[in-house]
Amino acid sequence: MVSLWQIFLVFAKIGAFTIGGGYMMVPAIEAEIRRRGWIPDDELPDIVALSQSAPGLLTVNMAIFAGSRLRGVKGSVVATLGVILAPFLIILAIAMFLVDVRDNAVVNAVFSGVRPAAVAIIAAYTVKLVRKHSQWWQWAVTLGTLVAIAVFKVSAVYVLLCVILVALAISWRRGAHK
């Protein structure tokens, strides 16, 4: 059985050393969980999907679901504390000194360099996840969603409702033919 301390340390490490927010932490969380064999590989996409669908921060939701899967409510609490503690302290420290460095050319250059790298890491993870766990129609839904939001400026809420309806229809159709 995984100890609460192990859960805390893993999620604290992810929170402390992952720059770029929630989508940057998803691959790190998956890699740590997979490396340790804590959760079967086929359950990881479900945790990601549930975490994205639930209200709140993606990384916190992943910590809640993964911690719960590992050790119940206590695991959820410990994983959540682990993943938010370091970022909270770092943001607090930055906020205390931000006035002094907000116009610093070096700081601005670092953030300008990190942004494109973060986008590339998120894109690479997305392609890897979709390639590994998808079928042709899921690619069509992904592409349709991207076009609807980016090109036609359709509200993400309406796109999400449509995707839910499509997923329910596909699920119902599959269940009806078994």
Side-chain angles (χ1 to χ4, degrees):
M1 176 182 283
V2 180
S3 76
L4 294 174
W5 184 243
Q6 286 174 305
I7 295 170
F8 176 81
L9 288 177
V10 166
F11 280 90
K13 178 176 86 171
I14 292 165
F17 296 107
T18 310
I19 297 173
Y23 287 103
M24 295 296 293
M25 290 182 178
V26 171
I29 292 172
E30 278 197 346
E32 290 291 335
I33 288 172
R34 184 175 286 118
R35 188 167 65 84
R36 288 172 171 71
W38 284 354
I39 296 174
D41 281 353
D42 62 332
E43 289 183 30
L44 290 173
D46 295 335
I47 290 175
V48 174
L50 283 170
S51 299
Q52 289 176 323
S53 301
L57 302 172
L58 173 63
T59 309
V60 172
N61 290 342
M62 282 193 72
I64 290 168
F65 289 125
S68 174
R69 176 70 172 74
L70 293 169
R71 290 289 304 269
V73 174
K74 289 179 184 177
S76 290
V77 171
V78 167
T80 302
L81 287 174
V83 84
I84 66 172
L85 183 62
F88 171 76
L89 294 174
I90 291 167
I91 290 170
L92 183 62
I94 289 171
M96 290 170 57
F97 301 107
L98 185 61
V99 174
D100 297 334
V101 298
R102 71 175 165 210
D103 294 325
N104 185 304
V106 174
V107 172
N108 288 328
V110 168
F111 282 118
S112 292
V114 167
R115 278 187 215 113
V119 170
I121 291 169
I122 292 166
Y125 170 73
T126 302
V127 169
K128 177 181 146 190
L129 184 68
V130 169
R131 196 180 295 162
K132 186 175 181 179
H133 300 288
S134 66
Q135 299 171 354
W136 71 267
W137 62 268
Q138 292 167 321
W139 279 95
V141 169
T142 302
L143 183 60
T145 300
L146 178 66
V147 168
I149 293 172
V151 176
F152 295 111
K153 309 291 188 231
V154 177
S155 168
V157 173
Y158 296 129
V159 172
L160 184 58
L161 290 173
C162 289
V163 169
I164 289 170
L165 291 174
V166 168
L168 288 171
I170 291 169
S171 177
W172 174 81
R173 181 167 165 79
R174 284 187 175 174
H177 288 91
K178 286 185 179 181

